[in-house]
Amino acid sequence: MRRSAYITPLALICVDQVIKWYSQHLLPIQGVFLIPGLLGLEPFINPGIAFGIPVPGVLLTVGTTALAIGFGILGVRKAHLGALLVAAGGLSNAIDRIFFGVTFDYLRVGPWSLVNLADGMIIVGLLLFLLHPTPKPTSSPA
């Protein structure tokens, strides 16, 4: 994997953190929608995990940070983009939990779900990781 491939997960962490800041400080509380109530930007403070499932804060912060570090190490050692995306998404959400005790969601997807870019990185990363557990070599021996 090229070194530039490591930049993508880091850049996505920055983008996610900027959008989280925007959603909490500049976005109207009622949100801005492309399709009212179904698709748009809406600020939401999530103290739990997916779908707002409650989990004790310390356990959640330590657990998600440990998983992010583990996937990060695996991603670097195996040059696996999927693992790096999981690590980046977990790290971005862990930043929220460490500094604020909650995660900030902002993307309304349907009437039932509010997510953020970090959640998307985790989902896409896990799919890549499960579908391609061993990355293909980037070059063949001469």
Side-chain angles (χ1 to χ4, degrees):
M1 181 183 319
R2 294 183 194 162
R3 285 183 195 226
S4 61
Y6 296 102
I7 294 172
T8 299
L10 293 173
L12 289 172
I13 290 172
C14 294
V15 170
D16 184 51
Q17 289 297 311
V18 167
I19 298 172
K20 286 175 178 176
W21 182 90
Y22 172 83
S23 75
Q24 294 303 306
H25 294 92
L26 300 175
L27 196 62
I29 193 73
Q30 70 273 14
V32 176
F33 291 92
L34 293 173
I35 303 172
L38 295 177
L39 182 62
L41 296 174
E42 179 181 346
F44 180 72
I45 296 172
N46 186 355
I49 57 172
F51 306 108
I53 297 169
V55 175
V58 173
L59 177 65
L60 189 54
T61 301
V62 171
T64 56
T65 304
L67 282 170
I69 291 169
F71 270 98
I73 291 168
L74 180 65
V76 169
R77 285 187 179 164
K78 299 290 184 178
H80 198 293
L81 180 61
L84 291 172
L85 286 173
V86 172
L91 180 59
S92 191
N93 280 337
I95 289 168
D96 295 353
R97 294 196 185 285
I98 290 166
F99 289 103
F100 306 106
V102 296
T103 297
F104 300 109
D105 293 333
Y106 49 78
L107 181 61
R108 165 73 62 189
V109 183
W112 58 88
S113 183
L114 276 154
V115 296
N116 57 42
L117 179 58
D119 299 336
M121 288 188 282
I122 292 168
I123 291 167
V124 170
L126 283 173
L127 286 173
L128 287 173
F129 188 76
L130 293 172
L131 294 174
H132 303 286
T134 305
K136 295 177 184 175
T138 55
S139 62
S140 58

